[in-house]
Amino acid sequence: MDWAGGGLPAFGASGPGAGGLPLMAVQAAARHPPRAAVLGALTAPLDGVLGPLAHGPGRGAAGEAAYYVICPAPAGPPLGAPVRAWTEAALLGQVLRPVATALEQLDSLGVTHRAIRLDNVFHVPGQPVEIGAAWAAPPGLRQPALFEPPYSAMCIPSGRGNGTIADDVYALGVLLVVLALGRLPLDGQSDAAVIRRKLAVGSFAALVGDERLPPLIADLVRGMLAEDPEHRPHPSLLLSPVTVRTRRLAARPAQRAQRPLVIGETEAWDARTLAYALAAEPDPGGQALHGGAVVHWLRRGLGDSTLAARVEDAVRHRQAGADDGQRSSAAAAAAMRAIALLDPLAPLVWRSTALWPDGLGTALADAQAGDQAVIGALTEMTNLEAAGSWESVRPERSDAGTLRSAARAQRAWLLGHNAGGLARLTYSLNPLLPCASPLLAGCWVAGLADLPAALEAASWKVDRKNVAPLDGPTVDFIAARSERRLDVQDAADAREAGAGTQFGAAHLRLLVHLQARHHAAPLPGLAAWVAAQSDPMIGGWESRSRRAAIAGHLLEIAQTGYLAPMLSVIEDPRGRIDDSAAAQRAAAEMAGIEAELAEIASGGPARADAAIRFGQEIAAGIGLTALAAVLVAAALG
Amino acid sequence: MGKRSREPRRAAAPAGRQHSLAWLQGLVVGALVTLATADALLLAALLAPAIVAFVIDRAPGRPVARSVALCGMAACVGPELALWGSGHDLATATGLLADLWTVGVAWTACAAGWLVAELAPVAMRAVLDALGLARAARLRARLARLAEEWGPPGQ
């Protein structure tokens, strides 16, 4: 029943507590982790939404690691199969009201849906529609550009962020337009063309054009498709369409130039389209920005000297003092600030990668699969705390300092001395992202509680002698998921000790902490794996016989399945001191023996002298003895 | 200058004592020849190899001559007692010297003394070398045991 998953694989499911309700399991992909915060917030069933009932790891159809979100199965097919024109009454009664009700409930829980589109809204004739599951993939990931506000659509799909409920209102507005028209507007156009069109003439005009909509629907949709999210009506207002009709928040029309500024293949007629051109065409955009063409056009073409002066200041400020190594980053930062100044509604754009700052985690998780350009841009952006700078350019649209402090924390995760790194940043921002270790292939390990059992399962499949129980990705995963500073420090020690190459005491300490906190039961396989990998740790002991004894002891302890006693045997501070002292004594003795052997080898002449001396004395002694004996014999007669 | 002038004087002191010792020995020998001519003749003849050894042996302490002399003196005790018991005169001494057995025994004793003085260092060298080899073998065995116990892992 893939049609029910809104583009994600979905399977029929059953389970206790369903009460006869048909269920489905929507499968998440490893690089697109489920929305942990939303799954945590949605604990009770909601009207009009296929809300999550349960979630957890499992196996995919091909045996791969998978994560499933269990939801009620939709009662009918999706609206998009096929699209037909709806009457105004049906739109209001069966689409607008139920969806607005659902969105109001979601908003009251601080949650957005971000997946309202034709293939994820389900309908039984004569019944209110219900919006599908949107919990098993990052927000907005599968939204077509048509259903997204242009400032979200221009972002990389995985970096659209949670957005606000106003984005869902926008998607609902598009859905109403589509259903009112009975066809997809802008059909067949590329995403970039759709975005350009929306930015150029406004979303409502771009979608509706010269078509005629029912008057009430047209008035509603005009507000719902406002470019500024603050101008869109709240879902609660949508429950009373007449009220919304009287509420007109008209945005001031954008100032339009007489002649366009051509950047690459994009023509900019106003500040908004100029911002998009700079974002979409970074190379020619950068040249126009730093060459002064943008400022000149803003001042002379658009006639906005204030905006021109602010953009000029932003460019100069960033370029001043930048050395050669920083010049490229400074140019990217200047472009980011210029875009934010030109269009405060635009997302953060860094080297043509556009995203909303709260989508950084999902963007990183997606890019880990191999998009090095995006990874480079996101890493540079995080390293320079670009989100903080971006926030400072558009303070009226951000909570004071929230992004700046978040950017600082993200930079600390990226560069921090304690097990910092891109992997740690990615895991920290994605609570349900599975550990990417090849050791855990086939297991979706999203939390530390699942890791010991997964390692125990892996221990029966790997070559214990040649593969270490903890590799780099696992250590990074532990560092990201650990709440205790000591664990993070242990992870840092383990990584410094050479994660993935040699299993050391720091790695074992991590495993001990894992077992102590998350897995009280024995882990005989993992313990045997540790024992098989214990040579480098035992190698720290000087005495060979003691090493052999410890190895034997570890094998005995491993049978019990507990790692802490193994660590005690390996660390044993008192034993280490004794061993070291004995080793020093042995070294001194060996040095003495070597010296004595050298002395014996080189002592020939000395022995010859001594032999002569002793021989002469012995000869004299013999003569003296003979004389004494004769004298005594003579005296005795 | 004062120190420098004292050094030769200090170095010359043992040489002076040796000279006076030689002079004293000469006096004793002269007195012996004068006062006990028979004894002197008998001893001179019987200890002739030892006298030769003292002349030839230039090693410090004259170890070979000393051994030859001691062994020769042991062989002289009998003839001296015979000289003293038979009148202690020059004729008796000459008579004793005419006996080839007496002279042969004395010179053989001197030869034995020379032989012992030559062989004892060789035997001693062999003993010391054997002791050294045995000690080295014990040390190597101990070293091997220590290396086996305290060597690095994997060796």
Side-chain angles (χ1 to χ4, degrees), chain A residues 127-216:
Chain A
Q127 299 287 319
V129 300
E130 52 187 357
I131 51 179
W135 335 115
L141 179 77
R142 296 180 174 275
Q143 286 288 79
L146 181 69
F147 282 82
E148 282 287 276
Y151 299 115
S152 181
M154 65 193 287
C155 296
I156 54 175
S158 55
R160 289 172 174 166
N162 285 314
T164 64
I165 204 69
D167 296 322
D168 287 324
V169 169
Y170 183 98
L172 175 58
V174 176
L175 184 68
L176 290 174
V177 171
V178 171
L179 296 178
L181 294 175
R183 62 173 179 80
L184 282 172
L186 304 175
D187 196 17
Q189 296 195 27
S190 68
D191 284 357
V194 170
I195 295 167
R196 269 203 300 271
R197 181 72 183 152
K198 285 182 175 179
L199 288 173
V201 300
S203 295
F204 180 79
L207 267 60
V208 177
D210 297 330
E211 301 279 351
R212 290 187 63 81
L213 296 178
L216 182 55

Side-chain angles (χ1 to χ4, degrees), chain A residues 337-484:
Chain A
R337 293 173 70 90
I339 291 168
L341 285 169
L342 290 167
D343 190 353
L345 298 175
L348 192 161
V349 181
W350 189 270
R351 295 189 191 280
S352 83
T353 298
L355 78 163
W356 288 98
D358 63 342
L360 175 65
T362 48
L364 279 170
D366 187 30
Q368 295 282 334
D371 195 337
Q372 293 303 316
V374 173
I375 285 185
L378 297 179
T379 306
E380 184 184 23
M381 198 188 92
T382 307
N383 189 16
L384 296 174
E385 297 181 25
S389 304
W390 179 75
E391 180 189 38
S392 68
V393 180
R394 50 196 293 287
E396 70 282 359
R397 298 207 167 260
S398 307
D399 293 337
T402 309
L403 274 180
R404 181 169 293 278
S405 55
R408 196 165 296 149
Q410 288 160 4
R411 183 173 189 268
W413 286 332
L414 181 68
L415 303 177
H417 296 300
N418 283 348
L422 187 62
R424 186 186 175 197
L425 173 65
T426 309
Y427 286 127
S428 298
L429 293 176
N430 293 284
L432 287 180
L433 183 70
C435 179
S437 167
L439 296 173
L440 305 176
C443 293
W444 187 295
V445 178
L448 290 182
D450 302 327
L451 187 55
L455 286 173
E456 172 70 10
S459 71
W460 300 103
K461 298 180 216 161
V462 297
D463 177 2
R464 289 176 181 165
K465 199 69 185 168
N466 295 318
V467 180
L470 284 182
D471 54 6
T474 315
V475 171
D476 290 335
F477 177 79
I478 294 171
R481 295 281 188 263
S482 293
E483 292 167 359
R484 282 190 355 140

Side-chain angles (χ1 to χ4, degrees), chain A residues 543-545 589 596 607, chain B residues 129 135 142 148-149 151 155:
Chain A
S543 166
R544 190 186 294 265
S545 60
E589 187 179 351
E596 196 172 344
R607 274 199 304 280
Chain B
D129 281 351
R135 173 74 178 153
R142 174 70 179 150
E148 188 183 348
E149 174 63 20
Q155 287 188 7

Side-chain angles (χ1 to χ4, degrees), chain A residues 61-100:
Chain A
E64 78 278 14
Y67 199 93
Y68 291 99
V69 178
I70 309 296
C71 309
L79 292 176
V83 183
R84 62 175 176 82
W86 288 48
T87 62
E88 183 184 60
L91 285 174
L92 293 175
Q94 295 176 28
V95 180
L96 178 66
R97 282 206 181 84
V99 177

Side-chain angles (χ1 to χ4, degrees), chain B residues 8 10 33 57 72 79 104 114 139 141 154:
Chain B
R10 202 178 293 166
V33 170
D57 191 1
W114 172 80
L139 290 174

Side-chain angles (χ1 to χ4, degrees), chain A residues 231-540:
Chain A
H231 292 172
R232 295 173 204 151
H234 188 267
S236 58
L237 289 177
L238 295 174
L239 297 175
S240 162
V242 179
T243 311
V244 178
R245 198 175 185 186
T246 59
R247 174 188 175 274
R248 285 252 176 118
L249 287 174
R252 197 174 59 186
Q255 201 170 347
R256 192 175 167 86
Q258 293 295 321
R259 285 183 305 164
L261 175 65
V262 179
I263 292 178
E265 296 178 356
T266 308
E267 285 185 349
W269 289 92
D270 52 23
R272 177 180 294 170
T273 49
L274 174 59
Y276 178 70
L278 292 176
E281 312 249 11
D283 293 336
Q287 288 169 9
L289 189 62
H290 299 294
V294 167
V295 173
H296 180 78
W297 181 81
L298 285 172
R299 191 169 281 132
R300 299 293 171 82
L302 198 63
D304 193 337
S305 303
T306 308
L307 184 58
R310 293 183 71 193
V311 171
E312 190 172 23
D313 281 350
V315 175
R316 276 195 193 150
H317 170 70
R318 283 285 152 179
Q319 293 289 51
D323 59 25
D324 288 344
Q326 298 170 332
R327 202 170 293 278
S328 173
S329 297
M336 176 198 74
R337 293 173 70 90
I339 291 168
L341 285 169
L342 290 167
D343 190 353
L345 298 175
L348 192 161
V349 181
W350 189 270
R351 295 189 191 280
S352 83
T353 298
L355 78 163
W356 288 98
D358 63 342
L360 175 65
T362 48
L364 279 170
D366 187 30
Q368 295 282 334
D371 195 337
Q372 293 303 316
V374 173
I375 285 185
L378 297 179
T379 306
E380 184 184 23
M381 198 188 92
T382 307
N383 189 16
L384 296 174
E385 297 181 25
S389 304
W390 179 75
E391 180 189 38
S392 68
V393 180
R394 50 196 293 287
E396 70 282 359
R397 298 207 167 260
S398 307
D399 293 337
T402 309
L403 274 180
R404 181 169 293 278
S405 55
R408 196 165 296 149
Q410 288 160 4
R411 183 173 189 268
W413 286 332
L414 181 68
L415 303 177
H417 296 300
N418 283 348
L422 187 62
R424 186 186 175 197
L425 173 65
T426 309
Y427 286 127
S428 298
L429 293 176
N430 293 284
L432 287 180
L433 183 70
C435 179
S437 167
L439 296 173
L440 305 176
C443 293
W444 187 295
V445 178
L448 290 182
D450 302 327
L451 187 55
L455 286 173
E456 172 70 10
S459 71
W460 300 103
K461 298 180 216 161
V462 297
D463 177 2
R464 289 176 181 165
K465 199 69 185 168
N466 295 318
V467 180
L470 284 182
D471 54 6
T474 315
V475 171
D476 290 335
F477 177 79
I478 294 171
R481 295 281 188 263
S482 293
E483 292 167 359
R484 282 190 355 140
R485 186 179 290 272
L486 273 177
D487 292 350
V488 176
Q489 183 59 50
D490 283 340
D493 293 345
R495 209 163 65 168
E496 278 182 18
T501 56
Q502 211 176 50
F503 188 76
H507 297 84
L508 178 55
R509 211 171 293 123
L510 273 181
L511 289 177
V512 167
H513 291 162
L514 273 179
Q515 187 177 29
R517 292 212 183 80
H518 303 292
H519 200 280
L523 298 166
L526 183 57
W529 196 358
V530 168
Q533 287 280 325
S534 61
D535 284 353
M537 293 180 284
I538 298 175

